[in-house]
Amino acid sequence: MKSPVLLYIVIAGLLAVLGYFLLPAQTMNANQALALGLVIGGILTPLLAGQFLRQRSSSTSTDSNEHSDSKTLYVGNLPYRVNEQDVKAHFAPHGTVISVRLMKDRRTGKRKGYGFVEMVGDTELIVRTLNDTEFQDRTLKVRMAKDKQEE
């Protein structure tokens, strides 16, 4: 079962219980109040969830539009002990760093010594500036990342 469906069921159940306790007992019996709460929950829950999902998707689309001019850089010969924050701090003076992904071996979980930095700025200049520079006693190799090839 998908999580939105489960959420709908939980909210509808909560509204049914609220209907049971909040609707006046003089006008209807407990079963009718519970049924009315379920009907109201069944109607309101998808409407509220749809509104929430629309707001969430519009905020995500503005974030993606905001970073549409970003480029991804390949960074090789990284120290194995380095973390994302260290790499971000090293690249931040040269442009806006959006994300840092350091590659790990799936089997061992150890870092492979390379990663990708997504940045906004003059990436050609950043490559020329940071390529063959020292970073934690290692000489970095910085290049424009190649697009993934679909097979």
Side-chain angles (χ1 to χ4, degrees):
M1 191 180 300
K2 295 184 178 180
S3 62
V5 173
L6 185 61
L7 181 65
Y8 292 167
I9 293 170
V10 169
I11 292 174
L14 289 173
L15 288 173
V17 171
L18 281 173
Y20 177 78
F21 287 111
L22 295 178
L23 292 174
Q26 296 87 1
T27 58
M28 59 181 65
N29 68 25
N31 290 337
Q32 290 172 330
L34 192 62
L36 185 61
L38 278 174
V39 168
I40 292 171
I43 294 170
L44 288 181
T45 303
L47 294 175
L48 293 174
Q51 183 67 26
F52 172 74
L53 291 175
R54 272 192 296 277
Q55 288 175 349
R56 188 172 176 193
S57 67
S58 67
S59 69
T60 339
S61 65
T62 57
D63 289 346
S64 63
N65 290 341
E66 191 176 294
H67 302 302
S68 63
D69 56 344
S70 68
K71 301 277 175 123
T72 303
L73 304 176
Y74 163 83
V75 184
N77 203 30
L78 285 167
Y80 296 109
R81 67 184 177 279
V82 76
N83 61 35
E84 285 85 358
Q85 291 80 17
D86 295 337
V87 175
K88 184 174 183 174
H90 186 70
F91 279 76
H94 304 281
T96 304
V97 178
I98 296 170
S99 67
V100 176
R101 296 182 318 270
L102 301 179
M103 300 298 107
K104 290 182 178 180
D105 184 277
R106 288 183 184 174
R107 191 173 43 86
T108 63
K110 294 182 181 179
R111 301 215 189 271
K112 289 185 170 185
Y114 72 94
F116 299 92
V117 178
E118 186 180 0
M119 296 188 72
V120 175
D122 186 359
T123 51
E124 300 289 330
L125 178 64
I126 295 168
V127 168
R128 286 193 304 269
T129 305
L130 292 176
N131 188 40
D132 293 326
T133 59
E134 292 289 319
F135 177 63
Q136 296 185 5
D137 300 325
R138 300 288 295 259
T139 303
L140 291 182
K141 298 296 177 191
V142 181
R143 309 270 188 270
M144 295 298 294
K146 297 177 182 175
D147 291 332
K148 285 185 178 178
Q149 299 291 325
E150 291 196 28
E151 297 178 19

